[in-house]
């Protein structure tokens, strides 16, 4: 699904060049659950932004389903992002004056679907994250973990093939964080490819594979031998 080869991303300052990514290469197969981890400044967020089509590399190759980002127009990139990709961020990015259901429907705005079908898809997504009882609540009426579950429902409403999760548990208490990881593991079991950015080893070990970055380079790429599983806020 994803091929990254000798990827570099440099930022030019007044007199200094910052090498955010400095020759990164890897593959991700469809259906994998991959964690990208590293300390602050390691390049993991820059890498995530490039993989999400939010930024372009300075050099190197990034291919999504065999097509290089350099070969795609802005319209094609937007279409792939809307159709194939779902996004979950550390900050929930919910519209404050909009109900949970209407927040979930946002990715469907430009699909041309009927209002009835949009509602059905949003209802299905909110059920998938266990929040049917919060359908018409506003974000300020929801706990942090519930807001993140709404954000996940919004990410999966279009049935994307890959879900990018950037520090999705970073603003949550440990129990809520475990519940979010449980949902992501279930989505992966259903066939979604999950790419998780985290700085926590404990969270990364809930993936199948960990790519570790330091100073813009991959220092390890390993299968998780003793994978952790999250369920109802507890490790099983």
């Amino acid at each position: 699904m994803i091929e990254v080869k000798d990827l570099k991303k440099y930022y030019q300052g007044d007199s200094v060049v910052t090498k955010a990514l400095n020759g990164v290469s890897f593959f991700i197969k469809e259906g994998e659950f991959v964690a990208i981890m590293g300390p602050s400044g390691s390049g993991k967020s820059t890498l995530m932004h490039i993989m999400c089509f939010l930024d372009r590399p300075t050099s190197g190759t990034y291919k999504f389903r065999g097509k290089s980002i350099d070969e795609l127009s802005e319209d094609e990139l937007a279409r792939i992002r809307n159709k194939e990709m779902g996004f979950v961020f550390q900050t929930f990015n919910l519209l404050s004056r909009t109900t949970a259901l209407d927040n979930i429907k946002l990715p469907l705005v430009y699909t041309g679907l009927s209002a009835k079908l949009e509602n059905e898809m949003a209802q299905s997504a909110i059920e998938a994250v266990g929040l049917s009882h919060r359908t018409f609540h506003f974000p300020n009426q929801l706990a942090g973990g519930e807001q993140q579950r709404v954000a996940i429902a919004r990410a999966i409403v279009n049935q994307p093939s890959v879900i990018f999760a950037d520090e999705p548990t970073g603003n949550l208490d440990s129990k809520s964080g475990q519940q979010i990881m449980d949902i992501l593991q279930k989505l992966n079991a259903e066939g979604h490819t999950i790419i998780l950015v985290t700085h926590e080893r404990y969270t990364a070990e809930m993936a199948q594979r960990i790519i570790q970055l330091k100073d813009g380079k991959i220092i390890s790429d390993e299968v998780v031998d003793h994978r952790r599983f999250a369920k109802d806020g507890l490790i099983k």
Side-chain angles (χ1 to χ4, degrees):
M1 173 179 275
I2 285 174
E3 177 185 352
V4 170
K5 187 174 182 181
D6 197 24
L7 205 66
K8 297 178 181 179
K9 181 65 178 181
Y10 297 166
Y11 295 100
Q12 179 71 54
D14 291 337
S15 57
V16 178
V17 175
T18 301
K19 298 180 179 180
L21 294 174
N22 195 21
V24 171
S25 300
F26 60 87
F27 295 88
I28 295 177
K29 297 178 182 178
E30 191 150 11
E32 278 196 279
F33 190 149
V34 179
I36 298 171
M37 70 170 297
S40 178
S42 62
K44 59 186 187 297
S45 291
T46 299
L47 179 58
M48 173 73 92
H49 288 160
I50 291 172
M51 287 194 292
C52 294
F53 299 161
L54 296 174
D55 200 356
R56 291 182 180 266
T58 302
S59 64
T61 304
Y62 169 40
K63 291 183 178 180
F64 184 84
R65 293 199 182 282
K67 291 188 176 181
S68 172
I69 188 173
D70 294 325
E71 299 170 2
L72 299 169
S73 69
E74 291 301 324
D75 286 345
E76 288 172 319
L77 293 173
R79 181 187 59 78
I80 293 171
R81 288 184 79 246
N82 191 52
K83 190 113 178 131
E84 294 256 23
M85 300 176 176
F87 307 94
V88 184
F89 302 100
Q90 181 175 353
T91 52
F92 317 126
N93 295 336
L94 301 178
L95 299 181
S96 60
R97 298 182 181 180
T98 304
T99 65
L101 188 70
D102 285 337
N103 266 288
I104 292 166
K105 286 194 286 187
L106 286 174
L108 304 175
V109 169
Y110 299 109
T111 59
L113 299 174
S114 67
K116 180 183 178 184
L117 187 53
E118 281 188 7
N119 274 319
E120 288 174 356
M121 292 173 70
Q123 287 284 0
S124 177
I126 203 169
E127 287 170 12
V129 298
L131 278 182
S132 297
H133 59 298
R134 294 285 193 258
T135 298
F136 299 109
H137 285 62
F138 292 91
N140 66 0
Q141 298 172 313
L142 303 174
E146 291 175 326
Q147 290 186 54
Q148 190 62 295
R149 283 151 73 185
V150 171
I152 291 175
R154 181 182 58 196
I156 65 173
V157 70
N158 260 345
Q159 290 296 306
S161 55
V162 57
I163 297 167
F164 293 95
D166 191 356
E167 300 279 9
T169 64
N171 284 336
L172 304 177
D173 60 64
S174 59
K175 182 177 179 180
S176 296
Q178 294 291 88
Q179 291 171 339
I180 295 306
M181 291 307 300
D182 181 41
I183 292 170
L184 291 177
Q185 286 182 324
K186 286 176 179 175
L187 289 168
N188 177 240
E190 292 169 4
H192 295 277
T193 304
I194 310 290
I195 300 173
L196 168 75
V197 164
T198 182
H199 65 278
E200 300 171 337
R201 183 83 194 181
Y202 181 82
T203 301
E205 288 176 352
M206 294 186 195
Q208 299 164 329
R209 174 181 159 206
I210 300 174
I211 296 173
Q212 190 158 356
L213 295 176
K214 184 178 181 181
D215 298 329
K217 294 184 177 182
I218 293 176
I219 58 171
S220 66
D221 184 350
E222 300 174 338
V223 173
V224 178
D225 290 328
H226 302 287
R227 189 183 182 195
R228 298 179 185 273
F229 288 90
K231 185 172 175 60
D232 299 329
L234 301 172
I235 291 295
K236 297 293 185 182

